[in-house]
Amino acid sequence: MLLLLRGVSLRCWLTLATGLVECLFFTGVVYGWPSLVFILKASGYFSDQCENATGPNGTQYMDCSKQDELFSLDFTIASFLQRFIGLLSGFLFDRFGTMATRLLAITLYTTGTLMIAFSHPDISFILFPGLSFIAFGGIMLILTNIQVGNLFHAHRSTISTLYFGAYISSAIIFLIVKVAFEKGISLQHAFFFLSACSIIHLMRTFILMPKMHIPYPLPEGYTYGTAQSCGQTKCNTCCFPKRTRDNTEPVQGEEGIENATSEQGNPQQTPQTVSHYTDIFAYTQFCGILCAPLNGLIIDRFKGKQRAPGETEEESNLRSVVPSLFLTALQCLLFSICATIPVLPLQYLTFVLQVFALSFGVGGNAAFISIVFPVCHFGKLNGVVNAVLSVVLLLQFPCIILVNEVLDGDPLYINIALCILCLAPFIHPAYVYIRWRRLANQRRHSAHPSPNDEHAFSGDNEDQPQDVPGSS
């Protein structure tokens, strides 16, 4: 234990561990929306949107497509606002610091959980602000936690991607709520419990987090948390080297699950099948905490390689992120291809690739910004990326409507278009690689001028008139 703590204080390790718990159980719970939708449907939320309909063979069934669209719209709005507000929270974090950002995040998160706790089918629309507030609070909490990696110099990227992996894995919370609901625990009681957990966030804010920011590189004797006022703890840098439906039952239409639960050549989608694939999706999401650190390890591994003679810090930074960016783009492409193939059992692999792509993408983005750009601009740049992502997320609801209303429930053409679009992310690693090679070539050229350059230089000297002694 003493060897483990050498070079870093116990407070730093407690900050790391409690931050991991916070990210794992609270920050990204909205990604478990499919599990919560299953509960909400069983409880009768938006059930007034269902209506009797007649099938092609004259059979009667309950058409709940409008109900499904409202659930999808709720998630779309929350996802959009979460990312768009990320831009504002980035400025807030950079300007006012950690404590102010966390207090606002805790307030929003608690308000959202209480809204759902007090909700019932007669006021189903309260789900819209409730889920959005939970999303706001979660993205702001993860923003304040990423800086913890600055306490561990040699493993900054590993820790930041570990936290983002925990952020993705927190989708398991709504699965736990679903399992508890099936065991007899009400939705309201589960969300009252989540609201009460805000006390933990408050304690961590005042005891184990800085008032402003954790700087990088870490100054000698840096203190934070309660140590900022009592001066008892020093933290040194760590050296630790669609939705489609059958003739009788509607199937939920939520991003990530709709590909698995759509017909795609598998027409008999019973509620039990939907529940099974919903659970599998949530379990694979939980593995994000295992997948995301792999990206950080890759970055830290290349970052830690011995530099070539004269290699600059900028060259080292660019060189270290190229493999990560390429693997992320490749995983996104493979995920889209698997989601397009109309074989339901193949969606197990699709779920796995989705977790890898999301973990590498979200965590790798934060690691890229923290490595390549100054730390003082991390919040703003991360917010800009989230704002752009929010605009893209808005497209998912029109796509759902397009599939349902125009393409007769067949998402094949949409999936093919997405596969083509997934070729675009390869531009980023290619550009970074070209930039790195250009800088390396310029360095070598300046260090070892070519013979032609030397000859031209000497020839220019020969053309100049020479002063002859005594000529004057």
Side-chain angles (χ1 to χ4, degrees), residues 277-350:
Y277 277 92
T278 300
D279 293 346
I280 295 299
F281 177 72
Y283 287 132
T284 54
Q285 288 284 100
F286 182 70
C287 295
I289 194 174
L290 304 176
C291 304
L294 298 178
N295 195 13
L297 289 172
I298 292 173
I299 296 175
D300 286 333
R301 171 62 178 169
F302 282 89
K303 177 69 175 174
K305 283 188 175 182
Q306 185 175 3
R307 295 186 189 178
E311 185 179 26
T312 63
E313 180 72 14
E314 182 181 5
E315 290 178 58
S316 176
N317 291 339
L318 295 177
R319 170 174 52 81
S320 64
V321 298
V322 170
S324 167
L325 296 175
F326 175 79
L327 287 175
T328 303
L330 181 62
Q331 290 165 0
C332 291
L333 178 61
L334 294 176
F335 160 68
S336 295
I337 292 175
C338 288
T340 303
I341 300 176
V343 177
L344 188 57
L346 182 63
Q347 304 314 308
Y348 291 117
L349 177 59
T350 303

Side-chain angles (χ1 to χ4, degrees), residues 24-41:
L24 180 59
F25 290 103
F26 301 100
T27 56
V29 295
V30 292
Y31 288 109
W33 180 242
S35 299
L36 190 60
V37 166
F38 196 87
I39 301 174
L40 297 174
K41 279 194 169 187

Side-chain angles (χ1 to χ4, degrees), residues 38 178 249 268-279:
F38 196 87
K178 175 178 177 290
E249 290 290 337
Q268 297 182 351
Q269 294 300 300
T270 64
Q272 292 77 15
T273 302
V274 176
S275 178
H276 170 73
Y277 277 92
T278 300
D279 293 346

Side-chain angles (χ1 to χ4, degrees), residues 82-127:
Q82 178 193 44
R83 299 298 179 176
F84 186 79
I85 293 297
L87 176 61
L88 301 179
S89 62
F91 280 94
L92 177 67
F93 175 69
D94 288 342
R95 176 65 180 85
F96 297 101
T98 302
M99 183 175 293
T101 306
R102 286 183 61 85
L103 290 177
L104 178 58
I106 295 169
T107 301
L108 292 172
Y109 189 92
T110 306
T111 302
T113 53
L114 287 175
M115 280 184 171
I116 297 182
F118 284 109
S119 70
H120 55 82
D122 292 337
I123 51 172
S124 299
F125 280 93
I126 201 174
L127 294 175

